[in-house]
Amino acid sequence: MFVQEEKIFAGKILKIHICTMEGTEWLEEVTEDTTIEKLKEKCLKHYVHGSLEDPKTLTHHKLVHAATERILMETKTVSDENLKDKDVLLLIKKRPPPPPPKMADISAEEKKKQDNKAPDKEAILKATAGLSTRHTDRTVTQHNIRDFQTELRKILVSLIEVAQKLLALNPDAVELFKKANAMLDEDDEDRVDETALQQLTEMGFPESRAIKALRLNHMSVTQAMEWLIEHVDDPTVDTPLPGQDTPGAVGATAPPLTSTDDAATGARQDELTEIFKRIRRKREFRPDSRAVIALMEMGFDEKEVVDALRVNNNQQDAACEWLLGDRKPSPEDLDKGIDTNSPLFQAILENPVVQLGLTNPKTLLAFEDMLENPLNSTQWMNDPETGPVMLQISRIFQTLNRT
């Protein structure tokens, strides 16, 4: 007895259940080494009862594995596609590609785009050539509508000078500043943005690590997350942050000044000056690192990028416009105070709430902080000691600005 060679070396025979979208069902017997293309051809011959007169029929159909809903690759074999005995395959006609648009449709679409296109400068000038010219002094209008944030900085610069002079007259000024600054350090250490913390803990970071990351990155969720990822294998990642008390810090104890003569007064003012310098170094402007990188990649120098972010309150888009524009106001303008003889500044100084606040060292610290970090204004507006002062300044400005 002779047996065909192909049957001797054929693989295992599988019975595959074939279904069509019309509900026709049958079994196809195939070997494991049969390609999916051959299997599809056999299915189509059965489906069309004998022959495939149109060769496109083969390319217009596909086989889908019913259990996994995946399309079978025609170049692979039954074994490669991991088909099993009695698996169910769907013979589906492929969705035809959309017909190309007619020329008439393209022309209509282009015409519609042209109709909706905004006019260019030439078209506007041509359409308005017959209109009479009206001379409006827009400079005066813009000058009257003063930006509160810009004016607030000038007000703060001048108020800091007044507060320093007032507090220097207080014999206990040095001790008051040390206590106030120590209290602020404690507040900074304890204060954590609850919303930012919740975002990090919901990502799966431990709460203690999230708090540490937020404090190290000035409550920035993005930078804190990057820090946590970078230090995930760091053995010291859970080590608490060191205390703020260091030799020579602002909170260090100094010998009391009991004498009221000129030498003692001069020494006290010198010590106050040194404290003010330390406060400014501690509250100095911190540019957003991501914004610095993004702007430097545009070709700007680091110094001018930092200046731009300082002028524009760490707002990257505004800083970019400043760099590309006339760069007004300049960084030097930020350190200029308001005219001390102006009605606005006189009205602020005459306000009783402001007068009382200027004798509080914490108010001066708040002013210093807002100068370099304007985004912290909200924090000081909500503070029970500095909030009323800031509210009065805002109200006086808005009242005089309207008049």
Side-chain angles (χ1 to χ4, degrees), residues 140-335:
V140 176
T141 305
Q142 291 295 332
H143 177 72
N144 289 335
I145 305 174
R146 294 175 295 181
D147 176 57
F148 176 61
Q149 289 299 328
T150 303
E151 291 298 316
L152 176 61
R153 184 174 185 90
K154 295 180 181 179
I155 294 169
L156 292 178
V157 170
S158 297
L159 286 178
I160 286 173
E161 294 178 2
V162 175
Q164 286 179 349
K165 292 176 182 178
L166 288 174
L167 290 166
L169 299 175
N170 189 331
D172 299 323
V174 174
E175 293 303 320
L176 285 172
F177 267 101
K178 289 174 180 176
K179 290 179 181 178
N181 197 61
M183 179 179 62
L184 289 177
D185 283 343
E186 185 179 349
D187 289 345
D188 287 339
E189 184 179 349
D190 294 338
R191 189 185 299 112
V192 176
D193 189 323
E194 295 296 333
T195 304
L197 178 60
Q198 182 179 355
Q199 291 181 31
L200 291 175
T201 53
E202 287 177 352
M203 294 178 192
F205 297 110
E207 183 174 334
S208 58
R209 289 189 188 181
I211 292 173
K212 180 178 180 179
L214 286 170
R215 286 175 178 164
L216 287 172
N217 293 277
H218 312 299
M219 299 301 153
S220 169
V221 176
T222 304
Q223 295 180 21
M225 181 179 65
E226 292 176 356
W227 185 91
L228 286 165
I229 294 172
E230 290 174 3
H231 293 79
V232 65
D233 296 323
D234 189 341
T236 63
V237 67
D238 293 316
T239 304
L241 292 173
Q244 301 297 321
D245 296 331
T246 56
V250 174
T253 303
L257 295 170
T258 56
S259 176
T260 57
D261 57 17
D262 293 341
T265 303
R268 182 173 64 248
Q269 290 179 344
D270 290 342
E271 190 168 2
L272 276 175
T273 302
E274 185 60 29
I275 290 175
F276 294 150
K277 288 180 181 178
R278 289 172 181 166
I279 292 170
R280 286 208 166 179
R281 283 197 298 269
K282 192 165 108 180
R283 304 291 184 186
E284 66 182 1
F285 173 71
R286 294 183 293 268
D288 186 303
S289 58
R290 300 171 72 89
V292 171
I293 294 171
L295 293 171
M296 288 183 64
E297 287 176 349
M298 297 173 66
F300 298 109
D301 294 333
E302 183 176 2
K303 181 182 181 304
E304 58 185 359
V305 166
V306 173
D307 286 343
L309 290 171
R310 181 168 177 249
V311 170
N312 294 280
N313 301 341
N314 256 337
Q315 302 297 318
Q316 180 178 325
D317 293 341
C320 183
E321 292 181 9
W322 184 88
L323 287 165
L324 296 172
D326 59 4
R327 303 195 177 187
K328 298 292 183 180
S330 67
E332 292 74 21
D333 293 336
L334 297 182
D335 298 323

Side-chain angles (χ1 to χ4, degrees), residues 41-94:
E41 186 177 346
K42 289 181 64 177
C43 294
L44 286 171
K45 284 182 179 180
H46 182 279
Y47 183 50
V48 298
H49 306 293
S51 64
L52 296 175
E53 295 180 0
D54 186 358
K56 293 183 179 179
T57 304
L58 191 62
T59 59
H60 288 177
H61 288 77
K62 59 185 176 182
L63 285 173
V64 179
H65 191 258
T68 60
E69 299 181 359
R70 58 186 173 87
I71 301 173
L72 303 183
M73 302 294 293
E74 296 183 1
T75 55
K76 293 186 176 181
T77 64
V78 170
S79 176
D80 293 338
E81 289 289 2
N82 199 26
L83 297 183
K84 306 297 181 185
D85 194 40
K86 296 183 181 179
D87 272 2
V88 179
L89 301 183
L90 303 177
L91 180 63
I92 301 174
K93 190 172 183 179
K94 294 179 181 179

Side-chain angles (χ1 to χ4, degrees), residues 100-139:
K102 299 178 181 179
M103 290 303 298
D105 295 337
I106 295 176
S107 300
E109 184 66 24
E110 287 296 326
K111 186 176 183 302
K112 185 178 180 181
K113 288 182 179 179
Q114 290 295 329
D115 292 340
N116 294 334
K117 186 179 178 181
D120 55 19
K121 184 178 180 180
E122 185 179 350
I124 294 173
L125 292 175
K126 184 178 179 181
T128 59
L131 298 177
S132 59
T133 304
R134 295 184 180 181
H135 297 283
T136 304
D137 190 353
R138 297 189 178 183
T139 305

